Amino acid sequence: MANTAQCYYCFESLLASFEDREPTTLAAVEALWEQHEQTKKLSSLEEQIEEEDTDRQQSINEQDEDDDSNQSSQSNSRPKKLQVPRISRLQSQFSASSSAATSSSSASNTSSNSLQSSSTNITTPSAVSGTPQLRSPDQRYPLFVTWNTLSRSGHKSLRGCIGTFEGQELAAGLKSYALTSAFDDTRFEPIPKSLLPSLSCSLTLLGSFEPCTNAMDWSLGTHGLRISFIHRGRRYGATYLPDVAVEQGWTKEEAVESLMRKAGWDGGGGSTARRLLRGAAGGNSGATKPWDQVSDFRTVRYQGLKASASYAEWQEWRQWVLSLDDGEEILEGAD
């Protein structure tokens, strides 16, 4: 369900906020993204056909030069030049393919698992789709929007990440948390417009929430983690998305301890290494685990579907939209 178009919509929402206007709709962005993808496929296919045609003609010419004595007979048997299919034919082929893919995606979406609550249906995403799927108005998605900056060398640095475990209508949720993560993440200064060209956006749709039997009952690279615990009479909580521990190169224990510190735990009087040494000396290393030093430690694992887009990718799509007759009007949105 997560796709690049939704990241483009986050960029559009951020740009619109800088320009003090409303962004275009998510539905418009997804439709134009799909058209752009088909246009790129058509262009790629045309280039491939032209290259094959050129290679074939070159091969014929080389054969003619080698067989001058039989030029007349070879001329009669020479293969005809490969004809490039008309654009209308290529478009009709892709339209048929797109319709089939949409039908398949819709069927898959209908059969996807849902977490039921008394007030809303929280949809559990089942796959990252290359084609936007039809969504019913009552579908809700827990989601997180992440902004990173990319250096010229390609190094990625976190610039804001905020989301919610409460199911959101997708368009409203994306717009809200694209701006919240850009402007209200207290770990960073609000993102200025001047930083826009160095940004990349990632969207994670969450699902498959399961309580863990213990702090290690989850898999690196598969599960995100949400913890809560009581320490010195106060409850703390925090979460890491599924890709965080892998990107940081952490073990599961390191990830849980880091998550506890993110929540506000003060370390219980020392680092893990010092506590392990003290525990080994005392013959009881089990008591040194960070989660054993707090009360009512709870862990929930979940899975997420992620899509990402850079500023350059968004701009390539945006410039294509602006080249359309009504592109500027579409992207201006409604005041």
Side-chain angles (χ1 to χ4, degrees):
M1 181 61 69
N3 59 52
T4 305
Q6 294 157 3
C7 296
Y8 290 172
Y9 182 68
C10 291
F11 269 112
E12 287 294 325
S13 298
L14 183 58
L15 177 62
S17 73
F18 288 133
E19 297 178 349
D20 195 25
R21 60 174 175 81
E22 286 296 314
T24 188
T25 65
L26 174 60
V29 172
E30 288 186 318
L32 288 166
W33 172 71
E34 186 175 2
Q35 291 178 30
H36 184 230
E37 291 299 302
Q38 291 188 6
T39 299
K40 290 194 295 184
K41 290 177 182 178
L42 284 169
S43 177
S44 176
L45 183 57
E46 288 177 12
E47 291 177 0
Q48 180 182 350
I49 292 174
E50 289 176 359
E51 289 177 1
E52 292 175 353
D53 185 33
T54 300
D55 292 342
R56 184 185 296 272
Q57 189 62 50
Q58 183 178 357
S59 177
I60 292 172
N61 293 338
E62 291 175 352
Q63 185 176 0
D64 287 346
E65 293 175 0
D66 292 339
D67 300 324
D68 286 340
S69 60
N70 298 320
Q71 183 175 5
S72 177
S73 61
Q74 288 183 0
S75 176
N76 293 332
S77 61
R78 182 179 302 167
K80 294 182 179 180
K81 183 176 181 180
L82 181 64
Q83 294 183 347
V84 179
R86 293 181 178 273
I87 294 297
S88 58
R89 287 174 55 197
L90 293 173
Q91 289 176 331
S92 65
Q93 292 174 3
F94 276 100
S95 296
S97 174
S98 175
S99 298
T102 302
S103 299
S104 175
S105 297
S106 299
S108 174
N109 186 53
T110 302
S111 62
S112 63
N113 295 329
S114 296
L115 303 178
Q116 301 291 331
S117 70
S118 59
S119 58
T120 60
N121 293 330
I122 301 178
T123 301
T124 301
S126 58
V128 177
S129 172
T131 302
Q133 297 178 341
L134 297 177
R135 293 183 292 270
S136 64
D138 62 341
Q139 286 181 319
R140 299 290 185 268
Y141 304 86
L143 57 87
F144 275 72
V145 175
T146 303
W147 294 105
N148 289 291
T149 55
L150 295 175
S151 67
R152 292 182 178 179
S153 62
H155 178 71
K156 184 171 66 174
S157 300
L158 181 64
R159 198 58 176 77
C161 180
I162 295 180
T164 178
F165 288 98
E166 297 294 329
Q168 304 286 306
E169 189 278 323
L170 192 55
L174 289 176
K175 177 185 175 183
S176 175
Y177 284 95
L179 301 182
T180 301
S181 60
F183 302 135
D184 298 333
D185 191 327
T186 57
R187 296 170 294 178
F188 309 97
E189 292 294 324
I191 293 177
K193 186 176 182 179
S194 60
L195 200 61
L196 196 59
S198 65
L199 291 178
S200 69
C201 178
S202 295
L203 160 70
T204 308
L205 302 182
L206 312 181
S208 301
F209 293 90
E210 301 173 300
C212 297
T213 58
N214 57 70
M216 297 290 101
D217 184 25
W218 57 284
S219 299
L220 283 168
T222 299
H223 296 115
L225 208 59
R226 184 183 188 185
I227 66 169
S228 69
F229 56 89
I230 296 175
H231 183 54
R232 295 174 181 169
R234 178 182 174 186
R235 179 164 289 280
Y236 297 83
T239 189
Y240 276 149
L241 297 176
D243 56 343
V244 172
V246 174
E247 288 182 352
Q248 297 298 322
W250 291 332
T251 65
K252 290 200 291 186
E253 181 170 332
E254 289 170 339
V256 173
E257 178 170 355
S258 174
L259 190 52
M260 291 177 66
R261 292 181 182 278
K262 178 185 177 183
W265 180 62
D266 60 10
S271 68
T272 299
R274 289 197 297 270
R275 292 196 304 275
L276 287 173
L277 288 174
R278 288 200 301 268
N284 185 16
S285 61
T288 66
K289 302 296 184 182
W291 47 91
D292 289 334
Q293 301 180 29
V294 298
S295 303
D296 196 25
F297 187 86
R298 302 178 185 179
T299 313
V300 174
R301 67 189 185 193
Y302 58 86
Q303 297 183 44
L305 295 175
K306 183 177 180 180
S308 300
S310 67
Y311 173 86
E313 291 168 330
W314 168 57
Q315 279 296 297
E316 178 191 351
W317 168 83
R318 199 170 205 277
Q319 292 305 313
W320 174 83
V321 175
L322 291 174
S323 71
L324 304 177
D325 291 340
D326 56 350
E328 185 174 358
E329 180 181 353
I330 293 173
L331 291 183
E332 283 180 353
D335 293 330

